[in-house]
Amino acid sequence: MSEDIKQQLLIKVGDKRNEYDQENHLGKKIWNESRKMWVIAAPAIFTRFTTFGTNVITQAFVGHIGAIELAAYSLILTVLLRFGNSILLGMASGLETLCGQAYGAKQYHMLGIYLQRSWIILTISTTVILPLFIFASPILRALGQDEDIAKEAGKIALWLIPVVYSYILSLTCQMFLQSQSKNMIIAYLAVVSLSIHVFLSWLLTVKYNYGIPGAMISMILAFWIPNVGQLLFIFNGGCQETWKGFSSLAFKDLIPIMRLSLASGAMICLELWYYTILILLTGTLKNAEIAIDALSICININGWEMMISLGFLAAASVRVANELGSGSANAAKFSVWVTVLTSLGIGFVLFIFFMFFRERLAYIFTTSKDVAIAVGYLSPLLAFSILLNSVQPVLSGVAVGAGWQSSVAYVNVGCYYLIGVPIGVILGYVFNLQVKGVWIGMLIGTLMQTIVLVVMTLRTDWNKQVLDAQQRVNKWFVQSDETCSQSN
């Protein structure tokens, strides 16, 4: 970056800082930032609840078809679909950085170009992982799964290929709209989709008894209906400033954006796969059946709560990216602390709730006293997990908004896989603490990662982050086709 451009950016940063500092007193700043945060967080939380609910509803109806079908669906959902979703979610999060910062910098037409580039990159990525779904049966048999379950899982995996491809549009369009604080449309579409899914699941699996094909058809429609609605909204005037139509510019600068997407994918995948390892380790312990049942209940509760945390992750990434792109370093820093403290407050309330109710919560999911006692035994760990989840994902959102994905990926490897997993194995197996020991080790890894992210955030030079963001958006800036035609 030349010295002239750098000087101009420094002046812009200074102007923005003075403008922000003189704008309002502290109470008004907190109110304004909270309002902006909730505009993003509330629809994001609701949408994630409905998406999570879609899988749960399908699982419930599949459970009425047969035990083998339920085991096969659960296996595919836990292993393959979560694997594919985490890769695509991670890679799509690079779009959050680019769109959020470009929108803050008022380079509005670039959002549409970034969206199209992300479609290209995610389509390629999805096609690369497609063989896992096509050859699911032999892969699962090679991993030692039951023959009948592996065979049924292979059939279900083929049905889920359209669902995996639906992630390309759903994830990218959500991030495109979130960066502009226009994600209420996503929540509305989620309500419509979930309602249709419940009705069709009942109609096709219960009334007409179509079995797995009926359940899968309903699930496919549940994921594609919101995509159609989002595309109609974007293409028909809902985003006039940011969507200027399809452009050949989408094929420009794909390699550097692919690098950012891969760094984002590594960061997110390392986090989402962490608790999958917890379940796999638990399956090899003594009394594994009760341990897995109890742990599944805890992970299920943790999963629902995680939807709240992911909503705040989205809010943090968008707010930080928008403010950095606009050149307001102090506003970016302030948005971090408002979002973190809000999420932490909600997490603390849930922490007290789960510490108080303990095993009584288990009877919502089971009638087994042994499983309920095991859940009560694990409840303190669940409560601490929820408390950490109220901070750690928000800081990950800050990393996405600022473009730190590569650095955080290394942090995740060190804290999760070099510290958390080995400690969990030692406590669970060597010290014979069983599932509690494994979970304590995983929590230590999460705590270490949270501490590192807190230190990184506290030591951040936000003025430098503004310069980095401005450099990033200017580096990949291209004139719109409309501007080019006008200049000619």
Side-chain angles (χ1 to χ4, degrees):
M1 184 164 43
S2 71
E3 287 300 318
D4 289 341
I5 294 175
K6 200 171 200 179
Q7 189 62 35
Q8 290 175 7
L9 292 178
L10 286 169
I11 292 170
K12 183 177 180 181
V13 171
D15 290 343
K16 277 286 182 180
R17 181 169 62 245
N18 293 334
E19 177 186 327
Y20 177 77
D21 289 341
Q22 296 171 9
E23 184 184 9
N24 295 304
H25 57 78
L26 181 60
K28 191 69 178 292
K29 284 182 180 180
I30 293 173
W31 169 256
N32 287 337
E33 181 57 40
S34 295
R35 181 174 51 81
K36 292 175 184 177
M37 176 198 68
W38 279 110
V39 164
I40 302 163
I45 291 169
F46 182 80
T47 302
R48 281 162 175 78
F49 267 119
T50 56
T51 302
F52 194 77
T54 297
N55 291 326
V56 173
I57 288 167
T58 303
Q59 192 168 17
F61 279 99
V62 169
H64 289 285
I65 297 171
I68 291 178
E69 288 81 0
L70 177 59
Y73 175 80
S74 300
L75 187 63
I76 291 296
L77 182 68
T78 304
V79 180
L80 284 189
L81 199 60
R82 183 175 294 176
F83 176 81
N85 177 261
S86 59
I87 288 177
L88 298 179
L89 174 62
M91 297 192 71
S93 71
L95 183 65
E96 281 188 292
T97 306
L98 297 171
C99 282
Q101 293 184 357
Y103 189 79
K106 298 185 178 180
Q107 294 183 1
Y108 297 130
H109 76 280
M110 286 301 299
L111 273 74
I113 295 172
Y114 287 139
L115 177 63
Q116 293 170 63
R117 289 173 181 171
S118 192
W119 284 343
I120 295 169
I121 292 169
L122 262 67
T123 299
I124 295 170
S125 302
T126 304
T127 305
V128 168
I129 65 173
L130 201 59
L132 294 175
F133 290 83
I134 295 173
F135 301 107
S137 283
I139 290 172
L140 292 172
R141 278 196 294 267
L143 293 173
Q145 297 298 317
D146 179 81
E147 176 69 29
D148 292 336
I149 293 176
K151 183 178 180 181
E152 189 63 36
K155 297 176 184 176
I156 294 173
L158 294 176
W159 278 103
L160 290 179
I161 290 174
V163 173
V164 179
Y165 273 100
S166 76
Y167 291 150
I168 298 170
L169 292 175
S170 64
L171 295 172
T172 54
C173 288
Q174 283 177 27
M175 292 173 184
F176 172 78
L177 292 168
Q178 276 177 182
S179 65
Q180 309 166 60
S181 300
K182 291 185 176 181
N183 54 335
M184 275 306 298
I185 182 65
I186 305 172
Y188 295 144
L189 290 167
V191 172
V192 173
S193 175
L194 190 65
S195 302
I196 293 173
H197 181 49
V198 172
F199 173 72
L200 280 180
S201 295
W202 169 81
L203 185 70
L204 297 176
T205 62
V206 178
K207 185 173 178 60
Y208 291 109
N209 198 27
Y210 286 151
I212 289 295
M216 293 299 102
I217 288 170
S218 179
M219 188 175 183
I220 291 167
L221 289 174
F223 278 95
W224 275 98
I225 287 172
N227 288 348
V228 174
Q230 289 175 73
L231 289 176
L232 289 174
F233 178 79
I234 293 169
F235 293 164
N236 291 284
C239 302
Q240 292 182 356
E241 288 184 316
T242 55
W243 178 261
K244 302 297 183 181
F246 291 97
S247 171
S248 60
L249 296 173
F251 295 93
K252 182 180 173 65
D253 292 326
L254 282 178
I255 299 301
I257 291 177
M258 174 71 86
R259 291 196 194 102
L260 178 62
S261 297
L262 288 172
S264 301
M267 171 187 153
I268 299 294
C269 287
L270 289 168
E271 291 187 17
L272 294 180
W273 294 342
Y274 190 46
Y275 280 94
T276 301
I277 294 174
L278 173 60
I279 296 173
L280 293 174
L281 289 174
T282 304
T284 64
L285 295 171
K286 298 175 183 177
N287 300 318
E289 185 177 345
I290 291 176
I292 290 176
D293 286 345
L295 184 62
S296 297
I297 290 172
C298 291
I299 294 296
N300 194 23
I301 294 171
N302 193 58
W304 282 104
E305 186 277 333
M306 194 66 179
M307 299 303 106
I308 300 174
S309 301
L310 290 176
F312 282 109
L313 184 155
S317 64
V318 171
R319 291 296 303 129
V320 168
N322 284 171
E323 296 298 349
L324 291 180
S326 70
S328 185
N330 285 351
K333 182 179 179 180
F334 190 71
S335 70
V336 170
W337 297 115
V338 169
T339 308
V340 168
L341 291 175
T342 303
S343 181
L344 179 60
I346 294 173
F348 184 74
V349 171
L350 292 173
F351 169 81
I352 298 298
F353 177 83
F354 288 110
M355 286 293 286
F356 179 76
F357 283 97
R358 298 171 74 92
E359 68 267 13
R360 279 170 281 187
L361 289 169
Y363 289 109
I364 300 173
F365 304 93
T366 183
T367 57
S368 170
K369 186 176 180 180
D370 290 337
V371 173
I373 292 172
V375 170
Y377 180 69
L378 294 174
S379 288
L381 297 178
L382 172 62
F384 278 106
S385 293
I386 288 171
L387 189 62
L388 283 176
N389 284 345
S390 67
V391 177
Q392 181 270 330
V394 179
L395 296 177
S396 293
V398 173
V400 171
W404 303 340
Q405 288 94 328
S406 296
S407 299
V408 177
Y410 289 115
V411 172
N412 289 350
V413 169
C415 294
Y416 288 157
Y417 298 95
L418 299 182
I419 297 175
V421 173
I423 290 176
V425 170
I426 292 170
L427 292 177
Y429 291 85
V430 179
F431 288 93
N432 202 32
L433 291 177
Q434 300 294 302
V435 64
K436 194 170 186 177
V438 174
W439 200 341
I440 289 172
M442 308 297 269
L443 275 177
I444 290 172
T446 305
L447 177 62
M448 291 297 298
Q449 193 245 21
T450 303
I451 291 171
V452 172
L453 290 182
V454 168
V455 172
M456 286 176 62
T457 305
L458 288 172
R459 297 181 63 183
T460 295
D461 181 346
W462 291 100
N463 289 327
K464 182 180 182 301
Q465 293 302 314
V466 167
L467 295 176
D468 291 344
Q470 294 288 335
Q471 186 177 15
R472 184 180 294 111
V473 296
N474 289 328
K475 176 183 177 182
W476 289 330
F477 174 79
V478 290
Q479 284 189 316
S480 66
D481 293 336
E482 182 180 298
T483 304
C484 291
S485 63
Q486 287 175 356
S487 61
N488 292 333

